[in-house]
Amino acid sequence: MGESRDSAGGVRRRTLLASAAAGAAGLAGCLSRFRTARGQGSPEQVSLDILTLPGDENAVATELGRTLSENLETVGVDTEVVLLDETELRRQALIGREYDLFVSKHPDLGEPDALRPLLHSSFTAEIGWQNPFDFTNIDVDELLAEQRQTDGVERQRVVTELQEEVVRQQPFVPVVVPDNIRATRSDRFGGWEWTRRDPSVTLMAVDRFDEDVERLRLVSTNDRLTRNLNPLAIEYRDRGTVTGLLYDSLGRQYQGAVRPWAAEEWEFEERGSGTVATVTLRPDLLWHDGEPLTAGDVVFTVEFLQDTSLGELEVPVPAPQFRGRSSLVGDAETLDDRTVELTFPETTSTVAERALTLPILPREEWEERSEAADIAGIELAEGVTDALVWANTEPVGSGPLVFDSRDEGDELVLRRFDEHFVNAAEDLHPELEATVGSGIAFEELTVTAVRSDGAALQLLGDDAVDAVLTTLDSESIPQIGRDPTLDLRLERSRGLYLVGCNTAREPLGNPHFRRLVARLLDKETLVRTIFGGFGTAAASPLTTTEWLAPELQWNGEDPELPFLGTNGRLDVETIRDEFRELGFEYSDDGKLLQP
Amino acid sequence: MSLLVYYLQVTVFVGVCLAIGLAVFVGRDRIRTFAGEYRTRLRDGVPHLAVLGLVFVLSMYWRPVGGEVSWTVGMNITHTLYSIEGNLVAVIQRIATTELTWALSIIYVFGYVFLLVFPLVAYLFLEDLWALRVTTLAYITNYLVGLASYTAFVAYGPRNYMPRDVGGLMYEVWPEIETLTTHINTNTNVFPSLHTSLAVTVALLAWYTRDSYPRWFYVASFLAVSIAFSTMYLGLHWGADVAAGIALAVGSVLLASRVAAETSDESVITRAGRRAFSAADRRLPGTRL
């Protein structure tokens, strides 16, 4: 055994020596050829990473990412689907900008001004949904500024033009507006109106059928709200509903408009090219710790949301969630303990009103959160303050519900704040009274966290909870439908599934290339296959709003960038011709090569 | 609260199975012999279990840290795993029935725990504790390699990569169990399948000890194959995870059987344990082992 092993080694060694001698000359020639080839820069295949969420977090996003990947592969682009959990996806796409394409759901595009932080070039350096595409375009910038300064028919015209320009440029591909799918029981509580713009108001407005029922029990498939109650947190989904119960704002959306909430009233007046709002707070507003809420807190909050470092860091660190709204305010000042003056330069009152829905934070609690975020003394990243990463697990707000307790990963308990004006039900103006009646109809609100829609629906079916707080996947609809005790609620959401393009990276910097990427998605088929029919194909980012440009109305196919194929199947030859026209070439084996 | 109930269920189930296992596989004679010399057996055997326990506890602490490290420096290989095998798991799931899903889910959760715990008990009843030493060493190897791999790679399972083609079947019939499984592991730790590697490890060791426990070899093999299959059938693991798991099992058993001390007197852990016990003895007479 030992012997044969040796002799085999000997043979191999001899052969190697012989071939090395013979090959030395050949090798030199080969290396020289290699250098020449490299010098000429042999064209490489176009290669794109597609970032998306795993099925556990958002099956729709996963499948959209895969479909896009398959279609790009079919036309010769090398792709990789990179699954990242929500926190990582935000970190890489919305904060670090380390991506080519990402698939995600924008939470709220219900208003034209929401496009401003998303697309204006002045926001490219910021994190969150602030221009994550690094998109810069003078025409779009001008239109975004103009829609903020115009009203009525004129604004309609500007917004139409804006949509057409954005859709032409395709910094992102609008794909589908999903339906929000919700399930509730109506044996203990009724009046679930999820169509409200503010889902917190939905919960405040439910009625109980039985006086003895004290607890509204909800289930959520997002356990982050048992870990983090910071309304400013960067990495967060559906945060608004619960924090909206804990924190008040000057105004809220109800009865079809932004109406006074913590404010007793406000007055807008035009001043120069801008608007000034004089806001009077309700008397006797209290924080949950018993301290009075004053005009000083309101002014502090506005300034804090604009720069959570309060001027301490070189570059301002705005709270990304509220960037669009906080950027409207030019100046905030207290006139007295109950009166605030807010100045909105270059803004009409219609747009300025949105800023009144910003949450109000207690100065006492948040002022000290303005330092740069660090772990054990090491600064995390430039431009992140403690305010944005703090978990705020014992929140002090002024809202109609007060934090009670939480069990990390399992449960969150809030209870009624009896001193709140809504619960005291005194001096409510008619619209507010029509909305919240005589205060919140329960003593306690519990949110149980589970991992999946299936587990949530099981709790609902067993009457262990009254409603599912988070929206459900279309695959759970049959299960809801089969159980006669459950109510299925469907409504169009204001969110939008989109494919974000990193316009700072080639070839996605080329708008023609992005337009071709858009034409690889058969949105109409996707609604059927991935959304189970519960969604609306979108050509414009404002698809489900009254602002939708007439030219961008869906008419059986995308009016601007129709799918290059039929019924989800690509017309490969046509697409190749289109790419060739852009200056791309194809290798013999069908790979799309970089120009 | 509910989590505690699951742990209790598992404990009770495994306890009952262990009792049955002792009666069926170990037999009355070995139990009687053990009763006679349990002091030396425990003295020489327990230190190995303690080391295993220590590794287990440390790994529990490492997991959340490893998760963060993994996202920072790890390679995201989900797409690669898919490229290797494509729709294999989706094809496997075509045979799904509710009954089979239940059976495999129960084997995946309860059967697995029993399969891993039983050898640790049963090998204490063998005169020669070599099998016990190899088992603990092989488990530790599995664990450490598994953890290293989970840290080096970020990988999601098939149900996360193709949620419309591959269902999380166990969670569909048994949604509550997700509380338990997610408490134990996160969904980015799929490569390799430690369920597979540890189960196959037990089966391989059962083959080593087939002369002592012939019937156990058949049961362990059946369970190992079922568990390896269930990880794919339930949509949790890729075929590649299972293949890597089998390779890890073979590697760890080969390594452990080479490295483990031939006799108790040669074993470093046993000797350290004996010293600890005799030290405890001197201080607390009456608890002599």
Side-chain angles (χ1 to χ4, degrees):
Chain A
M1 179 73 188
E3 216 177 50
S4 72
R5 204 187 280 165
D6 272 348
S7 69
V11 170
R12 209 175 299 134
R13 212 174 300 128
R14 270 197 302 279
T15 337
L16 257 176
L17 282 171
S19 62
L27 182 66
C30 175
L31 278 176
S32 145
R33 272 203 305 282
F34 173 72
R35 273 203 311 280
T36 318
R38 205 182 48 172
Q40 283 173 350
S42 57
E44 273 176 49
Q45 190 181 10
V46 175
S47 170
L48 300 171
D49 281 354
I50 303 168
L51 273 47
T52 187
L53 297 163
D56 273 355
E57 304 213 25
N58 188 334
V60 165
T62 319
E63 291 291 353
L64 278 180
R66 283 188 62 218
T67 307
L68 179 62
S69 161
E70 278 164 23
N71 289 1
L72 281 165
E73 294 268 355
T74 307
V75 300
V77 180
D78 175 41
T79 62
E80 182 164 337
V81 178
V82 184
L83 298 185
L84 300 169
D85 74 18
E86 191 162 1
T87 313
E88 277 312 310
L89 181 71
R90 284 185 165 246
R91 216 170 265 163
Q92 293 199 16
L94 302 186
I95 300 177
R97 310 276 156 86
E98 298 153 20
Y99 73 95
D100 298 313
L101 296 165
F102 73 88
V103 178
S104 189
K105 187 177 123 185
H106 188 289
D108 190 353
L109 288 175
E111 223 280 332
D113 196 52
L115 294 175
R116 191 169 47 86
L118 189 65
L119 293 168
H120 197 283
S121 61
S122 63
F123 291 95
T124 49
E126 295 187 19
I127 59 177
W129 280 104
Q130 275 58 257
N131 205 333
F133 322 112
D134 267 345
F135 175 70
T136 50
N137 182 289
I138 295 177
D139 294 338
V140 170
D141 281 359
E142 281 173 2
L143 290 164
L144 285 167
E146 224 176 306
Q147 60 80 28
R148 179 178 163 178
Q149 297 165 49
T150 47
D151 252 327
V153 188
E154 179 61 8
R155 189 173 186 219
Q156 183 81 55
R157 184 193 63 75
V158 174
V159 172
T160 299
E161 206 179 313
L162 171 66
Q163 287 170 73
E164 286 166 359
E165 189 57 27
V166 169
V167 168
R168 225 162 65 81
Q169 299 282 345
Q170 293 282 309
F172 60 88
V173 183
V175 185
V176 170
V177 174
D179 289 338
N180 281 340
I181 300 162
R182 297 182 190 269
T184 51
R185 297 181 71 88
S186 15
D187 34 13
R188 291 161 30 109
F189 288 92
W192 298 99
E193 276 188 51
W194 291 111
T195 46
R196 294 175 193 276
R197 295 253 347 215
D198 185 339
S200 311
V201 175
T202 304
L203 294 179
M204 290 182 215
V206 295
D207 322 308
R208 64 179 160 186
F209 291 136
D210 184 345
E211 286 296 304
D212 299 333
V213 174
E214 293 193 337
R215 186 178 299 149
L216 178 66
R217 306 156 308 170
L218 304 175
V219 62
S220 166
T221 53
N222 174 12
D223 73 349
R224 285 182 182 88
L225 49 80
T226 66
R227 305 175 196 279
N228 187 316
L229 289 166
N230 181 353
L232 316 188
I234 304 172
E235 298 138 1
Y236 219 145
R237 162 175 52 132
D238 296 334
R239 114 225 110 258
T241 313
V242 166
T243 54
L245 295 165
L246 292 168
Y247 292 91
D248 278 332
S249 47
L250 294 171
R252 270 187 197 275
Q253 279 274 359
Y254 57 90
Q255 306 275 330
V258 177
R259 295 176 190 280
W261 181 260
E264 194 170 59
E265 56 175 1
W266 57 64
E267 244 172 75
F268 279 101
E269 67 176 295
E270 272 181 45
R271 201 178 287 174
S273 59
T275 306
V276 175
T278 312
V279 185
T280 313
L281 294 177
R282 296 182 68 95
D284 310 322
L285 288 173
L286 288 179
W287 294 109
H288 293 154
D289 61 5
E291 294 293 316
L293 187 162
T294 64
D297 289 308
V298 177
V299 170
F300 164 78
T301 305
V302 171
E303 289 169 352
F304 192 63
L305 294 179
Q306 290 178 332
D307 178 10
T308 55
S309 84
L310 294 171
E312 289 300 308
L313 297 181
E314 264 174 53
V315 182
V317 185
Q321 302 287 357
F322 302 104
R323 186 60 180 131
R325 284 176 272 169
S326 72
S327 67
L328 292 167
V329 187
D331 189 40
E333 260 181 78
T334 53
L335 298 185
D336 62 49
D337 246 14
R338 276 180 56 202
T339 321
V340 183
E341 191 181 85
L342 301 170
T343 318
F344 302 92
E346 319 276 320
T347 309
T348 59
S349 60
T350 327
V351 176
E353 228 175 37
R354 298 183 63 224
L356 301 178
T357 59
L358 289 169
I360 309 171
L361 307 173
R363 177 179 200 147
E364 195 74 3
E365 283 264 313
W366 291 82
E367 205 164 21
E368 60 197 74
R369 301 286 160 192
S370 60
E371 281 160 26
D374 62 53
I375 292 178
I378 301 160
E379 243 178 70
L380 281 177
E382 235 171 284
V384 178
T385 55
D386 199 19
L388 304 187
V389 295
W390 179 39
N392 189 29
T393 48
E394 283 172 35
V396 176
S398 64
L401 291 182
V402 51
F403 171 78
D404 184 276
S405 61
R406 71 189 179 97
D407 190 352
E408 199 151 305
D410 287 331
E411 195 184 49
L412 172 71
V413 183
L414 310 180
R415 70 193 139 74
R416 187 161 65 183
F417 182 47
D418 289 326
E419 284 81 3
H420 193 270
F421 55 87
V422 159
N423 296 325
E426 284 164 12
D427 303 322
L428 301 183
H429 55 84
E431 288 89 0
L432 186 51
E433 195 167 355
T435 306
V436 293
S438 50
I440 284 179
F442 45 87
E443 300 293 322
E444 206 174 79
L445 174 84
T446 59
V447 186
T448 308
V450 294
R451 293 287 303 187
S452 60
D453 285 0
L457 288 176
Q458 182 155 35
L459 287 180
L460 192 67
D462 293 348
D463 196 13
V465 295
D466 300 302
V468 185
L469 181 61
T470 32
T471 54
L472 299 159
D473 191 274
S474 63
E475 286 197 334
S476 47
I477 287 182
Q479 196 184 342
I480 305 167
R482 273 196 295 271
D483 189 332
T485 64
L486 304 189
D487 291 337
L488 173 67
R489 311 272 164 161
L490 288 174
E491 105 255 7
R492 254 185 192 190
S493 79
R494 289 190 311 280
L496 172 72
Y497 278 94
L498 56 83
V499 177
C501 305
N502 191 342
T503 65
R505 284 194 187 175
E506 289 309 321
L508 291 159
N510 179 347
H512 300 289
F513 186 87
R514 299 196 296 265
R515 288 169 62 90
L516 265 183
V517 171
R519 300 191 67 184
L520 300 180
L521 287 174
D522 186 356
K523 300 170 185 176
E524 188 107 340
T525 303
L526 292 175
V527 168
R528 226 175 32 246
T529 54
I530 297 180
F531 292 80
F534 297 94
T536 312
S540 157
L542 298 178
T543 288
T544 53
T545 69
E546 72 266 29
W547 299 92
L548 175 61
E551 297 293 309
L552 293 174
Q553 219 132 42
W554 197 266
N555 53 10
E557 65 170 7
D558 194 308
E560 170 79 12
L561 298 167
F563 177 61
L564 288 168
T566 38
N567 291 330
R569 294 182 63 86
L570 296 164
D571 180 351
V572 179
E573 275 318 308
T574 312
I575 297 164
R576 286 189 180 181
D577 288 343
E578 295 272 351
F579 274 116
R580 286 196 188 97
E581 236 165 81
L582 295 185
F584 287 87
E585 279 176 52
Y586 273 94
S587 70
D588 296 339
D589 55 349
K591 290 177 178 162
L592 182 70
L593 304 175
Q594 272 166 358
Chain B
M1 174 62 196
S2 55
L3 200 60
L4 213 64
V5 174
Y6 291 122
Y7 278 120
L8 211 67
Q9 280 178 358
V10 173
T11 313
V12 170
F13 176 88
V14 171
V16 171
C17 286
L18 279 179
I20 298 171
L22 284 177
V24 175
F25 305 122
V26 177
R28 200 175 295 164
D29 292 346
R30 284 210 170 82
I31 294 175
R32 207 173 293 138
T33 324
F34 180 82
E37 47 189 71
Y38 73 95
R39 292 186 170 193
T40 40
R41 292 274 181 88
L42 289 181
R43 183 196 63 193
D44 290 354
V46 166
H48 295 273
L49 299 180
V51 173
L52 177 62
L54 188 71
V55 172
F56 188 72
V57 169
L58 287 180
S59 77
M60 285 299 233
Y61 279 99
W62 172 251
R63 279 203 172 167
V65 183
E68 285 297 315
V69 175
S70 191
W71 277 118
T72 316
V73 298
M75 256 170 73
N76 200 320
I77 58 166
T78 316
H79 188 82
T80 315
L81 295 174
Y82 171 73
S83 311
I84 293 171
E85 63 185 76
N87 292 327
L88 174 69
V89 173
V91 171
I92 289 176
Q93 285 200 342
R94 286 197 197 136
I95 63 162
T97 63
T98 313
E99 292 76 19
L100 187 58
T101 303
W102 269 113
L104 288 175
S105 299
I106 286 168
I107 289 178
Y108 180 85
V109 176
F110 293 121
Y112 173 68
V113 178
F114 167 67
L115 182 68
L116 261 53
V117 173
F118 184 72
L120 297 176
V121 176
Y123 291 157
L124 273 174
F125 287 81
L126 290 181
E127 209 165 319
D128 184 355
L129 289 180
W130 182 79
L132 182 73
R133 292 193 291 273
V134 175
T135 306
T136 52
L137 205 56
Y139 282 11
I140 290 172
T141 313
N142 270 296
Y143 245 93
L144 296 182
V145 173
L147 281 187
S149 177
Y150 292 163
T151 310
F153 302 112
V154 174
Y156 282 98
R159 87 196 155 99
N160 264 310
Y161 187 82
M162 27 188 176
R164 290 284 188 262
D165 302 334
V166 173
L169 296 184
M170 178 161 67
Y171 304 127
E172 280 165 23
V173 299
W174 197 9
E176 306 96 320
I177 202 64
E178 204 158 11
T179 324
L180 182 68
T181 53
T182 53
H183 188 247
I184 293 170
N185 209 341
T186 60
N187 55 8
T188 50
N189 289 347
V190 303
F191 182 84
S193 159
L194 268 193
H195 253 80
T196 303
S197 76
L198 283 165
V200 172
T201 297
V202 172
L204 292 173
L205 292 168
W207 185 75
Y208 273 71
T209 58
R210 66 192 182 284
D211 289 341
S212 311
Y213 295 140
R215 274 175 293 191
W216 169 243
F217 171 65
Y218 297 110
V219 172
S221 305
F222 169 76
L223 281 176
V225 170
S226 309
I227 287 168
F229 180 71
S230 74
T231 62
M232 292 185 283
Y233 172 90
L234 297 172
L236 304 168
H237 281 288
W238 303 95
D241 305 335
V242 171
I246 294 170
L248 173 55
V250 173
S252 66
V253 170
L254 287 178
L255 178 83
S257 58
R258 298 262 188 297
V259 172
E262 284 297 323
T263 67
S264 280
D265 294 339
E266 289 170 24
S267 163
V268 181
I269 294 172
T270 308
R271 281 196 312 235
R274 284 176 183 171
R275 276 197 301 279
F277 276 115
S278 59
D281 239 8
R282 280 193 297 278
R283 231 163 280 162
L284 302 162
T287 57
R288 220 176 74 80
L289 270 170

